[in-house]
Amino acid sequence: GIGGHAAGEVASAIAVRTIHEEIKRERDLLTDFTAGSRGASRVTNKDILALMEHAVHRACARIHEEAQADSAKRGMGTTLSALLILGTRAFIAHVGDSRIYLQRGGRVQQITEDHTVFNELIKRGKLTKEQIEKVGHKNAITRAVGVYERVDVDTLMLEVLPGDDFLLASDGLTGYLETADELAPWLQQEGDKAVKGLVDLAKERGGKDNITVVVVRL
């Protein structure tokens, strides 16, 4: 949920529930896709990405409807970073400034793009990083699920390998990182030491926001 906005926790709960329902409803499609690796399916990567995008749009519409019906929840919204692993492929749907990172062979890279004022200004190339640092509200997000009826969703597909690790995290952690490389030693920890260690790291560096950390190991 978006910090500082009405009922962010309600928005995030609706998003999680709706996306889970929409994906689960198409379980046959997912099964067919996985069977396709043995030559038995016509379901394509595009079909899976379209399903994920549709699920986010449904979540967006539901959150917006709930906000319109209850003035106390007006303006609520949430960031969203969803990861679906099917066979040897990872499918991602993303809105906002939560992040997904991939660790492969000891190297960590961010694979989602933050939808923030800072990033928009950098992409437009009008200002230097130093100038952008002085901009007020530079960390404000430019897209969220549920604030409006519709939202643009980033989707992507990756081939995955044994040993890959995915890290999904809110800006309660990532706001305290200088580079993605800082994550590598933590992702090499076994069991739940990685997530506990990263939560503790964010707390030590300030811990001003809710900290969500999920590690998916292949």
Side-chain angles (χ1 to χ4, degrees):
I2 299 169
H5 287 62
E9 71 280 4
V10 175
S12 60
I14 293 172
V16 169
R17 189 170 66 246
T18 303
I19 287 167
H20 186 237
E21 286 169 359
E22 293 293 330
I23 300 287
K24 196 166 64 172
R25 185 178 292 135
E26 298 295 341
R27 183 167 277 164
D28 289 348
L29 185 85
L30 306 185
T31 305
D32 285 353
F33 178 83
T34 310
S37 59
R38 298 185 291 276
S41 172
R42 293 181 183 173
V43 181
T44 66
N45 293 334
K46 278 187 178 177
D47 293 331
I48 304 299
L49 291 172
L51 167 60
M52 293 192 76
E53 187 171 353
H54 166 76
V56 178
H57 284 151
R58 287 290 304 134
C60 190
R62 279 198 192 165
I63 293 165
H64 189 70
E65 283 165 20
E66 179 105 359
Q68 295 303 105
D70 182 350
S71 59
K73 296 174 186 167
R74 199 67 47 86
M76 69 175 174
T78 185
T79 65
L80 185 133
S81 294
L83 171 70
L84 176 65
I85 307 284
L86 290 175
T88 59
R89 286 172 194 166
F91 296 90
I92 286 165
H94 169 73
V95 177
D97 66 348
S98 294
R99 292 179 183 175
I100 299 180
Y101 294 87
L102 169 65
Q103 184 281 131
R104 175 175 289 171
R107 294 289 308 277
V108 181
Q109 63 177 339
Q110 181 181 337
I111 53 175
T112 54
E113 184 179 281
D114 295 350
H115 300 137
T116 58
V117 170
F118 183 91
N119 244 16
E120 288 293 329
L121 292 172
I122 285 199
K123 277 166 68 179
R124 290 178 193 180
K126 303 286 187 192
L127 301 172
T128 65
K129 277 196 174 184
E130 290 71 28
Q131 288 170 320
I132 296 170
E133 285 295 346
K134 295 172 186 163
V135 171
H137 304 296
K138 65 179 182 293
N139 294 321
I141 59 174
T142 52
R143 295 189 216 172
V145 179
V147 175
Y148 302 105
E149 278 183 88
R150 303 262 313 159
V151 68
D152 284 338
V153 185
D154 286 356
T155 58
L156 65 146
M157 186 279 292
L158 296 169
E159 294 281 349
V160 293
L161 297 172
D164 281 353
D165 295 325
F166 287 93
L167 170 69
L168 294 76
S170 66
D171 65 341
L173 170 68
T174 62
Y176 292 109
L177 301 176
E178 292 294 323
T179 67
D181 294 333
E182 289 178 75
L183 296 165
W186 297 102
L187 289 172
Q188 285 155 20
Q189 301 281 329
E190 292 183 4
D192 61 1
K193 288 179 184 171
V195 289
K196 287 181 175 172
L198 287 167
V199 169
D200 287 343
L201 176 72
K203 286 179 180 175
E204 284 163 17
R205 293 186 178 181
K208 288 181 184 170
D209 205 346
N210 295 330
I211 307 157
T212 302
V213 180
V214 179
V215 175
V216 180
R217 300 191 187 281
L218 303 185

